[in-house]
Amino acid sequence: MDRRELLVEVRRTRNDCVFGLRLTLDAGRSERGIAFAESYDYLPLGSDPGREYIYSVYTEYAALVPLTEFLETLLGETFEGEPADRLVACFHGLVAAGELGDGLPLQENHRKVAAWCEEAGITAETEIWTWINSD
């Protein structure tokens, strides 16, 4: 199963940045089977050729059920469906509740998800990826 879920995508016009939150579930990538990403894609602007920053949190696919149960408890709501559907619903619920989203400081979404994994007793790996357009 490979599922990619766009949670938030906003174009910030003041600095021509596309902000996004994404969740990817992929049982075939066992150790990185659950991936959450907070991204900032700065489009070319004047003499600035553009750049992109992605702050990710990865955990093993085997953490699907305990992470889902932890987030449901955090939200005070139990969702219907398969564990993957429930986890996606949790992340959408966190966005709707303002726990995750565009209005938070840089990397705060990334930090929160990593902290929730830790609180749930789930080992998570964080990563920062940067790309600068050199054209």
Side-chain angles (χ1 to χ4, degrees):
M1 169 175 108
D2 181 7
R3 180 173 181 174
R4 298 168 194 262
E5 194 74 23
L6 179 63
L7 303 169
V8 173
E9 187 170 82
V10 176
R11 183 148 186 190
R12 298 174 175 175
T13 55
R14 81 181 193 316
N15 57 5
D16 218 7
C17 173
V18 178
F19 168 82
L21 297 178
R22 290 168 182 74
L23 180 66
T24 303
L25 305 175
D26 187 349
R29 294 192 65 200
S30 61
E31 291 180 8
R32 286 185 157 203
I34 300 172
F36 171 81
E38 172 183 355
S39 65
Y40 300 82
D41 186 0
Y42 293 90
L43 305 173
L45 185 64
S47 62
D48 182 344
R51 60 202 178 284
E52 186 173 1
Y53 303 94
I54 300 175
Y55 307 95
S56 301
V57 178
Y58 300 99
T59 191
E60 61 185 349
Y61 196 80
L64 182 67
V65 171
L67 181 57
T68 299
E69 290 173 350
F70 176 83
L71 294 176
E72 285 178 333
T73 300
L74 183 70
L75 287 163
E77 186 172 354
T78 301
F79 296 98
E80 296 294 321
E82 298 297 317
D85 297 326
R86 290 172 48 213
L87 182 63
V88 169
C90 285
F91 273 88
H92 281 292
L94 291 163
V95 169
E99 291 292 327
L100 298 174
D102 180 40
L104 300 178
L106 180 69
Q107 297 185 46
E108 186 62 20
N109 292 284
H110 165 259
R111 282 188 202 97
K112 281 186 168 192
V113 172
W116 291 329
C117 287
E118 185 177 332
E119 288 176 48
I122 296 166
T123 301
E125 173 188 353
T126 60
E127 180 179 86
I128 297 173
W129 181 86
T130 305
W131 175 79
I132 307 287
N133 187 353
S134 60
D135 292 346

